[in-house]
Amino acid sequence: MVYIDYGNYESVSFNETRDMTLTFAELPRQSVTGRLSRIDYSSPFDKKHEEKFKAMCLNQNFIAQFTSRQVAEDVWQVELYHITGDFTKNIFEAT
């Protein structure tokens, strides 16, 4: 099973699946694959990076700006802006 809202995979038994109405199968895709701009993806994130990113983002309000698309991979580059009152700032800019 692939959850398109979060992109994670999970194994489920056949008994846990349901038929999907054909009307839903005809709908266009409601999600896109994105990758944060300004991140070096050449080496994998370790637990320290993951925890730092969670601390920056959990329970916060953001605006996502889709800046470009890598057509071959069908992946959008995304700038993430933190909202604080009347002020927005890219989360990766120096304070």
Side-chain angles (χ1 to χ4, degrees), residues 3-7 28-34 66 74 76:
Y3 294 93
I4 63 166
D5 51 355
Y6 292 102
R29 180 171 76 172
Q30 302 294 307
S31 65
V32 296
T33 302
F66 293 79
D74 197 23
W76 284 90

Side-chain angles (χ1 to χ4, degrees), residues 33-45:
T33 302
R35 185 176 287 160
L36 288 173
S37 299
R38 305 182 193 212
I39 299 288
D40 179 8
Y41 290 98
S42 62
S43 59
F45 281 6

Side-chain angles (χ1 to χ4, degrees), residues 11-82:
S11 295
V12 296
S13 70
F14 183 77
N15 296 347
E16 295 177 276
T17 62
R18 304 286 182 267
D19 288 336
M20 184 169 68
T21 306
L22 286 179
T23 304
F24 292 117
E26 296 170 357
L27 290 172
R29 180 171 76 172
Q30 302 294 307
S31 65
V32 296
T33 302
R35 185 176 287 160
L36 288 173
S37 299
R38 305 182 193 212
I39 299 288
D40 179 8
Y41 290 98
S42 62
S43 59
F45 281 6
D46 60 21
K47 198 69 169 167
K48 180 181 91 174
H49 292 107
E50 182 180 329
E51 293 302 319
K52 183 176 180 180
F53 186 73
K54 282 182 185 179
M56 290 170 54
C57 296
L58 284 178
N59 300 315
Q60 302 293 319
N61 293 313
F62 294 96
I63 295 173
Q65 180 181 11
F66 293 79
T67 57
S68 64
R69 179 172 169 233
Q70 295 171 325
V71 177
E73 298 175 19
D74 197 23
V75 174
W76 284 90
Q77 293 293 316
V78 179
E79 293 277 345
L80 198 56
Y81 293 90
H82 184 223

